[in-house]
C-alpha cells in the first residue's frame, strides 16, 4: 500500500527556512560560541577597553597575559580570546543569538495561544511522519498509554489521535528562551554602553576621572590603614572598603584590589619658586605629583628637569617604615644622596616636600545590563529544568485501514513512538 505524503511534508522553501532558523542545532551552536567567549573572559586576561590609548594599563595586561599564557599567547591573541568583547566572531554570534532565540520564543507563545483557543488541534503543524506500521495497537490503548505518560489528549476519534504536553512544555520552553533573550540583551547592553577601568590608582586629594562624568577620590585617612573611604563625584556618594571588598555605588561596581602607601611630592628652588615634576613619559609635568608604591611597582622614578635631578623612590620593607629616596644628577647620573624619605629634604638646589598620602588600586565597572543578565540566567535555569521534565512533544496518530501512521515532533519523539509500538509487541509476543 502506498502512503502519500501530506501537503505539509512537501517541499516548502519558507517552511524549510523556518525550520532551519528555529532548529535546536543552530541555537545550541550559537550558545556554545557565546559561552566559549564568556569562559575565555573569566580564565584569560582581557585587554583593557581603552587599548593602547592607556599605555600603562595595556603594558600591565600584556605582561600578565604573556606570563600566564606562555607559548599560547600568540594563537590565543590571534583568535581574539584575549579581547573577546571586541572580537568580530563573538559579536556576530551574540548578534545572531538574540533574533534566533526571539523567533523560538515567538513560536512557543503562538503555540500557547493556539492551545488556549483550541486552534489546529487536529492538524499537522511541523510534525513529520516517523513511522508507518501494520496492525498497530488500537487508538484507545494508545491514548491510555499516552495519558499515563502525562500527555494531554487533544483529539480522540476512530481514525485520529492527537496528544501533546501543552501547556507545561510550552511554558517551560518559553521561560527558557525568554531567559536567553534577557541574558543576551543584558550582555549586549554591557557591551555597547558599559565600560571597565582596571588597576586604577585612586589617592587622597586627587580625582580619578572616569567616563560618564564620574570621578573617584579618597577621603582623608581616619587612622585605619586597612580600610579607605572612596568618594564618588558628582553626587558625593561614599563607601568604605578593605582590600578584596566590593560595593555598588551610584550605578558603579567598585572593587578594591589593594591599599598602597604613597606620597604627594612637590619641589621648590632656592628662591621658593615651584618646580615642574615629571612622573611619567606619558604624563605632562606638574608642580605636584602623587607617587604610590606597591608590590607590582616597588620603585618609582621621577625627574625634576629644572633642578637636573632624577629621583628613585623605593618602598620600605614594612608599612611602618618610610620609603627610601635616591637622587642622581642629570645628565651624568652621579649619585647625590641615598636616605629615608622625610617631610622635607634638600637635594642640591631643590627642596623636596613629601606629604604622606594613602592610595588604592581599584577596578571600576559600569554594567547597566547586569540586572537583565542575572534575571536571564535565573529564568533560563528554571526553563531548562522544566523542559527536562516536560519536553516539547506532539504526536498525531492516524489510522487508515490496517495501517497506522505516526507523525511526531519534539525531542525524543521517535523514541516515544517506538515505545508505543514496541510495548504492544512485548505484551503479545506471539
Amino acid at each position: 500500500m502506498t502512503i502519500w505524503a501530506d501537503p505539509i511534508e512537501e517541499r516548502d522553501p519558507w517552511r524549510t527556512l523556518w525550520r532551519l532558523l528555529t532548529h535546536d542545532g543552530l541555537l545550541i551552536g550559537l550558545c556554545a560560541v557565546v559561552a566559549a567567549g564568556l569562559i575565555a573572559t573569566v580564565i584569560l586576561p582581557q585587554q583593557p577597553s581603552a587599548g593602547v590609548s592607556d599605555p600603562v594599563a595595556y603594558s600591565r595586561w600584556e605582561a600578565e597575559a604573556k606570563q600566564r599564557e606562555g607559548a599560547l599567547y600568540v594563537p590565543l591573541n590571534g583568535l581574539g580570546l584575549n579581547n573577546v568583547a571586541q572580537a568580530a566572531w563573538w559579536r556576530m554570534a551574540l548578534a545572531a543569538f538574540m533574533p534566533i532565540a526571539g523567533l523560538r520564543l515567538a513560536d512557543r507563545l503562538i503555540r500557547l495561544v493556539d492551545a488556549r483557543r483550541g486552534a489546529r488541534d487536529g492538524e499537522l503543524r511541523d510534525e513529520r511522519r516517523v513511522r508507518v506500521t501494520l496492525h498497530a495497537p488500537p487508538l484507545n490503548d494508545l491514548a491510555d498509554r499516552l495519558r499515563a505518560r502525562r500527555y494531554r489528549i487533544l483529539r480522540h476519534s476512530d481514525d485520529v489521535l492527537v496528544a501533546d504536553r501543552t501547556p507545561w512544555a510550552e511554558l517551560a520552553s518559553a521561560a527558557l528562551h525568554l531567559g536567553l533573550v534577557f541574558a543576551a540583551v543584558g550582555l549586549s547592553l554591557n557591551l555597547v554602553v558599559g565600560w571597565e577601568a582596571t588597576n586604577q590608582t585612586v589617592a587622597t586629594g586627587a580625582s580619578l576621572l572616569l567616563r560618564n562624568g564620574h570621578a573617584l577620590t579618597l577621603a582623608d585617612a581616619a587612622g585605619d590603614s586597612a580600610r579607605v573611604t572612596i568618594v564618588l563625584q558628582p553626587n558625593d556618594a561614599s563607601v568604605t572598603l578593605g582590600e578584596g571588598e566590593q560595593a555598588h555605588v551610584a550605578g558603579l561596581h567598585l572593587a578594591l584590589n589593594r591599599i598602597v602607601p604613597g606620597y604627594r611630592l612637590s619641589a621648590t628652588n632656592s628662591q621658593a619658586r615651584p618646580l615642574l615634576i615629571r612622573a611619567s613619559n606619558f604624563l605632562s609635568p606638574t608642580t605636584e605629583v602623587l607617587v604610590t608604591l606597591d608590590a607590582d611597582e616597588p620603585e618609582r622614578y621621577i625627574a625634576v628637569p629644572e633642578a637636573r635631578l632624577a629621583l628613585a623612590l623605593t618602598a620600605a620593607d614594612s608599612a611602618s617604615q618610610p620609603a627610601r629616596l635616591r637622587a642622581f644628577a642629570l645628565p651624568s647620573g652621579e649619585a647625590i644622596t641615598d636616605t629615608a624619605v622625610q617631610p622635607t629634604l634638600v637635594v642640591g638646589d631643590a627642596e623636596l616636600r613629601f606629604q604622606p598620602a594613602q592610595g588604592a588600586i581599584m577596578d571600576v565597572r559600569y554594567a547597566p545590563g547586569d540586572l537583565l543578565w542575572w534575571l536571564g540566567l535565573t529564568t533560563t535555569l528554571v526553563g531548562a529544568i522544566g523542559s527536562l521534565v516536560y519536553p516539547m512533544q506532539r504526536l498525531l496518530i492516524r489510522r487508515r485501514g490496517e495501517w497506522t501512521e505516526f507523525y511526531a515532533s519534539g525531542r525524543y519523539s521517535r523514541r516515544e513512538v517506538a515505545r508505543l509500538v514496541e510495548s504492544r509487541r512485548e505484551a503479545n509476543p506471539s
Side-chain angles (χ1 to χ4, degrees), residues 14-314:
W14 292 109
R15 180 167 294 278
T16 301
L17 178 61
W18 175 259
R19 285 177 175 172
L20 176 64
L21 293 176
T22 58
H23 193 269
D24 289 346
L26 178 58
L27 184 66
I28 292 173
L30 292 173
C31 278
V33 174
V34 174
L38 293 176
I39 293 173
T41 62
V42 174
I43 64 177
L44 298 177
Q46 296 298 296
Q47 180 178 318
S49 57
V52 295
S53 61
D54 186 350
V56 176
Y58 186 87
S59 298
R60 287 179 176 175
W61 161 79
E62 189 175 36
E64 181 186 0
K66 288 181 177 179
Q67 180 182 8
R68 288 178 55 182
E69 298 169 7
L72 296 177
Y73 170 77
V74 173
L76 291 176
N77 203 46
L79 291 172
L81 294 177
N82 284 332
N83 192 12
V84 172
Q86 302 300 324
W89 58 268
W90 193 78
R91 285 182 171 237
M92 291 173 61
L94 182 60
F97 181 83
M98 287 186 287
I100 295 301
L103 284 175
R104 291 171 62 97
L105 173 62
D107 176 71
R108 273 48 175 182
L109 295 177
I110 291 172
R111 289 171 181 265
L112 277 172
V113 172
D114 286 348
R116 182 176 180 85
R117 295 176 178 177
R120 302 176 62 188
D121 282 350
E123 300 178 11
L124 283 172
R125 289 181 176 173
D126 54 356
E127 295 79 20
R128 294 186 177 183
R129 186 162 49 188
V130 298
R131 188 158 186 162
V132 179
T133 185
L134 185 64
H135 303 305
L139 294 186
N140 288 334
D141 291 350
L142 294 177
D144 292 339
R145 294 172 190 172
L146 289 171
R147 288 192 186 95
R149 296 187 56 76
R150 295 182 295 186
Y151 279 83
R152 181 184 67 146
I153 304 301
L154 295 175
R155 181 175 175 181
H156 185 194
S157 63
D158 293 337
D159 56 351
V160 175
L161 173 64
V162 182
D164 64 14
R165 292 186 181 273
T166 302
W168 298 113
E170 280 79 0
L171 284 173
S173 185
L176 170 65
H177 291 88
L178 182 62
L180 291 176
V181 171
F182 279 165
V185 171
L187 277 177
S188 300
L189 195 59
N190 286 343
L191 189 64
V192 175
V193 184
W195 50 266
E196 185 175 15
T198 59
N199 291 322
Q200 300 295 304
T201 301
V202 189
T204 305
S207 294
L208 171 64
L209 298 180
L210 302 171
R211 300 186 191 179
N212 300 351
H214 293 296
L216 293 181
T217 187
L218 296 188
D220 292 334
D224 186 359
S225 60
R227 301 180 69 81
V228 295
T229 299
I230 303 152
V231 181
L232 175 64
Q233 301 295 341
N235 52 6
D236 290 330
S238 64
V239 62
T240 301
L241 297 176
E243 290 189 355
E245 295 181 353
Q246 303 179 12
H248 283 85
V249 182
L252 297 182
H253 178 76
L254 308 178
L256 179 60
N257 298 332
R258 56 190 178 275
I259 300 173
V260 296
Y263 296 94
R264 192 172 302 284
L265 171 62
S266 60
T268 58
N269 61 10
S270 56
Q271 288 78 37
R273 182 175 61 85
L275 300 177
L276 293 177
I277 304 172
R278 182 180 289 276
S280 170
N281 290 331
F282 305 108
L283 300 174
S284 300
T286 58
T287 57
E288 185 179 74
V289 298
L290 174 70
V291 183
T292 56
L293 303 169
D294 60 76
D296 288 345
E297 199 173 8
E299 189 171 50
R300 290 287 303 276
Y301 291 91
I302 302 165
V304 188
E306 294 180 72
R308 297 183 179 276
L309 290 177
L311 309 178
L313 279 172
T314 305

